[in-house]
Amino acid sequence: MKALSQVQQKFVLHWGEMGTRWGINRTVAQIHALLFISPVPLNAEDIADTLTVARSNVSTSLKELQAWGIVRLVHVMGDKRDHFESMKDVWEMFRVVLDERKKREVDPMLTVLRDCIIEAEKDKQADEHTEAKLRELLEFFETTTGWYQQVRALPTPALTRFMKLGDKVRKALGLGE
Amino acid sequence: MKALSQVQQKFVLHWGEMGTRWGINRTVAQIHALLFISPVPLNAEDIADTLTVARSNVSTSLKELQAWGIVRLVHVMGDKRDHFESMKDVWEMFRVVLDERKKREVDPMLTVLRDCIIEAEKDKQADEHTEAKLRELLEFFETTTGWYQQVRALPTPALTRFMKLGDKVRKALGLGE
DNA sequence: GTCGAAATTCTGTAACTACTGAAATTCCAG
DNA sequence: CTGGAATTTCAGTAGTTACAGAATTTCGAC
């Protein structure tokens, strides 16, 4: 196993750091970074050696990455060990991550908000102001996720073209304001 | 200080939980939730009592919320204690949070990626594949943040109208694909 | 089936983060 | 100024999460 170049190290370390900021375990994020820049699938031992973490740690981290849906197990000819590769396409990768975060965090949030609002309605007067604020939050999450559902379905080229339109969007849609 | 209703508790606890998932300290998020649904500014002691955490903990958490820019210190007539209130408008609040996360996390990411790419160019051959992948990532972040800069500037009514257009967006922009 | 390699699970420990309570500081009112 | 309340800082502790290494299980070749 070839050691990482300076550049590769810098990237892997920073990606790991970013992970922690967004609630992802550092090692998990580092492994993902490593697989992302690797031109070939890697086996668990190589990963452990490269990042100098325990084999067992790599095993659980890979499980998590697979649960996120951005890393998959593959086999390479003439090697019975499991190998792993990251999703290759950046846009698709973020789509998968966002879908997963929506499922894990936003959807339960919507459920809780709806429950709370129903509960608060019964008890009017007591919780009138709370109810109003929760409705505002719910409205926000519903609008943003509804919109996300729309754009996530766009194929990448359409999505990037759309994003790069810039000012034209506003004009085309008559959203001057 | 009035104790929280069932609904309020449920919301505050869940918001705290959500916070941790996104790298925000649980208490910090709970305090924010509390201030968000509170019709009036609260002082540190009330917050500490309501959430049963130490006064000192409230103090540091409030500092952090102020650093995020979504909570501010206010004074109420005839009370020399500091009081705090959350930003009221949900859309504006998320704009502020996203701006801050961009500044803290995305911008440094862009810097690192650009540095890495420059570095990798010098050393061609050795890091050709890495360079290519990092370029893809950079392109992704540049496009998305560039787009965000555009839409963040829209006043809320325009933004929500835009998001609710749904299918019409695709058609209006000829992004059928 | 059996053997050896690979992978996973588990348990104890280390590292880190969050938190409390005490001490120190700031801020006013008088 | 001085005294008392409010706030912040700090140091130690508790709680949590991440991790290594050992034990166990799985897997495939024979």
Side-chain angles (χ1 to χ4, degrees), chain B:
Chain B
M1 179 61 198
K2 214 161 132 296
L4 294 181
S5 70
Q6 279 305 108
V7 168
Q8 291 170 329
Q9 258 185 40
K10 185 170 180 178
F11 170 68
V12 168
L13 292 177
H14 194 261
W15 198 250
E17 218 51 54
M18 268 316 93
T20 63
R21 301 280 199 120
W22 293 86
I24 307 293
N25 174 286
R26 178 177 283 108
T27 307
V28 170
Q30 286 183 355
I31 293 175
H32 173 245
L34 181 60
L35 292 175
F36 176 72
I37 57 171
S38 174
V40 293
L42 303 176
N43 64 58
E45 206 181 316
D46 283 347
I47 297 171
D49 291 349
T50 307
L51 301 178
T52 47
V53 293
R55 237 331 295 270
S56 55
N57 194 2
V58 172
S59 180
T60 44
S61 297
L62 283 169
K63 277 275 143 64
E64 190 160 344
L65 285 167
Q66 286 171 280
W68 276 100
I70 54 177
V71 161
R72 65 193 189 104
L73 190 156
V74 296
H75 282 106
V76 305
M77 267 302 176
D79 192 336
K80 69 173 176 173
R81 290 172 300 177
D82 293 346
H83 285 64
F84 300 87
E85 66 178 10
S86 167
M87 197 168 259
K88 298 279 173 252
D89 183 78
V90 178
W91 289 84
E92 188 58 26
M93 197 165 79
F94 276 91
R95 224 179 312 234
V96 169
V97 170
L98 287 178
D99 282 355
E100 193 64 28
R101 295 213 89 145
K102 175 181 179 302
K103 197 175 81 189
R104 296 187 191 187
E105 286 134 27
V106 180
D107 291 349
M109 188 75 229
L110 288 170
T111 305
V112 168
L113 286 174
R114 290 186 185 120
D115 286 358
C116 283
I117 289 169
I118 288 170
E119 197 69 22
E121 278 173 337
K122 291 186 203 155
D123 212 349
K124 275 282 187 209
Q125 214 67 17
D127 270 342
E128 204 153 6
H129 183 262
T130 300
E131 189 194 329
K133 299 307 286 179
L134 297 189
R135 276 190 195 286
E136 287 176 41
L137 261 188
L138 179 59
E139 162 80 7
F140 171 82
F141 283 116
E142 281 177 341
T143 305
T144 50
T145 57
W147 172 83
Y148 172 69
Q149 301 282 38
Q150 297 280 337
V151 302
R152 77 163 300 299
L154 291 175
T156 303
L159 182 58
T160 55
R161 249 180 295 140
F162 164 59
M163 285 193 161
K164 286 175 180 163
L165 283 178
D167 241 25
K168 286 169 209 142
V169 179
R170 210 179 321 171
K171 285 166 189 158
L173 298 168
L175 291 169
E177 199 122 339

